[in-house]
Amino acid sequence: MKSALGWVLFLSLSAFLQWRGSMAQWIPATATFYGGSDASQTMGGACGYGNLYSAGYGVMTTALSTALFNNGATCGACYQIKCDPSKSSWCKLGKSVTVTATNFCPPNYALPSNNGGWCNPPRQHFDMAQPAWEVIGVYRAGIIPVFYQRIPCRRSGGIRFVLNGNPYFELVTISNVGGSGVIRAVWIKGTRTDWMPMSRNWGMNWQSGAYLNGQSLCFRILTDDGKMVTFYNVAPYYWWFGSTFSSLLNF
């Protein structure tokens, strides 16, 4: 028990130090847009959120280049982005927009990084949902230079848990996370089990190999700013695969 507690405290401190280093800095990057004027083509994506409206994110979202995506570990992060008018005449002056990372912008090595391969490493690039991009840029530009900073996420309502898988494989999609927005670690507990660590499968899908059918489920989440919240009795004992439950709590 002591070793487990020590490991949790270590994770919390490590997460906080990494989070502090990523916040409150304006960093140069570039931004394009995708998904259409109604952002309908941004649904789904490499973070696994599916319908971004039901996940709590709407149309103010972005895909991240390899340098920012961190193999999906940055899913859920919030960024404030503004156009750099010193480098472009296509900026909307005085405007900024807050977006959530919900997708991956893959590299295109067939094109040079400064002419079409915008998401090629090591570029820091945002491929934003078109409604979000048009808050700060004029449509005709296509691509604009920007400054960005990571900021805390403000969410409405509690965290959402979507349960999928089979009796010996639970795959839980976790969304609408406030605060840092980025999950560092997750634990799950059934009525008849102790707390068990989950592992990140892809995006914000977390997996467990325990048999938990017929048990109410609790979750414990550590975000990358070192904060931890326990969500008791999120799913009742009669939960089923394909069901969605919302907690009353958030960060």
Side-chain angles (χ1 to χ4, degrees):
M1 178 65 74
K2 288 183 178 179
S3 62
L5 179 59
W7 177 243
V8 169
L9 293 174
F10 170 78
L11 282 176
S12 297
L13 178 59
S14 175
F16 172 74
L17 293 175
Q18 291 185 20
W19 170 82
R20 187 175 63 177
S22 70
M23 302 291 279
Q25 302 178 58
W26 285 107
I27 303 169
T30 49
T32 49
F33 60 85
Y34 79 114
S37 59
D38 61 355
S40 59
Q41 297 172 52
T42 65
M43 300 295 119
C47 290
Y49 294 130
N51 185 311
L52 298 178
Y53 286 102
S54 59
Y57 301 127
V59 301
M60 294 298 158
T61 62
T62 187
L64 302 178
S65 65
T66 301
L68 294 169
F69 191 64
N70 195 21
N71 292 318
T74 315
C75 288
C78 292
Y79 298 92
Q80 184 179 19
I81 303 176
K82 60 184 180 181
C83 188
D84 180 3
S86 71
K87 295 181 179 178
S88 175
S89 60
W90 299 105
C91 296
K92 292 183 178 178
L93 298 179
K95 298 289 186 179
S96 67
V97 65
T98 297
V99 292
T100 301
T102 60
N103 204 353
F104 174 52
C105 181
N108 183 354
Y109 295 113
L111 296 174
S113 296
N114 62 352
N115 188 18
W118 311 121
C119 291
N120 294 350
R123 290 184 64 103
Q124 299 192 50
H125 184 84
F126 297 86
D127 197 20
M128 301 166 62
Q130 185 175 333
W133 189 92
E134 288 197 83
V135 173
I136 60 173
V138 177
Y139 177 85
R140 288 176 57 192
I143 181 171
I144 52 174
V146 298
F147 287 108
Y148 76 92
Q149 62 178 345
R150 190 169 161 202
I151 61 173
C153 301
R154 296 182 178 180
R155 303 294 181 213
S156 176
I159 290 178
R160 296 167 188 169
F161 301 82
V162 181
L163 309 179
N164 286 300
N166 59 58
Y168 289 94
F169 176 75
E170 295 81 26
L171 189 67
V172 182
T173 307
I174 305 174
S175 65
N176 200 47
V177 180
S180 112
V182 173
I183 298 173
R184 177 71 180 275
V186 180
W187 293 262
I188 190 171
K189 183 183 183 306
T191 309
R192 299 186 294 274
T193 74
D194 293 326
W195 286 103
M196 300 174 290
M198 304 184 77
S199 59
R200 192 170 63 85
N201 187 297
W202 63 278
M204 278 299 118
N205 290 287
W206 295 80
Q207 70 179 52
S208 169
Y211 182 82
L212 296 169
N213 287 27
Q215 302 179 57
S216 61
L217 303 180
C218 306
F219 294 90
R220 180 170 290 158
I221 296 177
L222 172 70
T223 51
D224 73 346
D225 57 355
K227 295 180 180 179
M228 182 182 294
V229 175
T230 300
F231 302 86
Y232 291 102
N233 300 318
V234 170
Y237 72 90
Y238 54 84
W239 65 269
W240 64 96
F241 292 109
S243 57
T244 301
F245 298 94
S246 294
S247 69
L248 297 176
L249 302 177
N250 212 318
F251 285 87

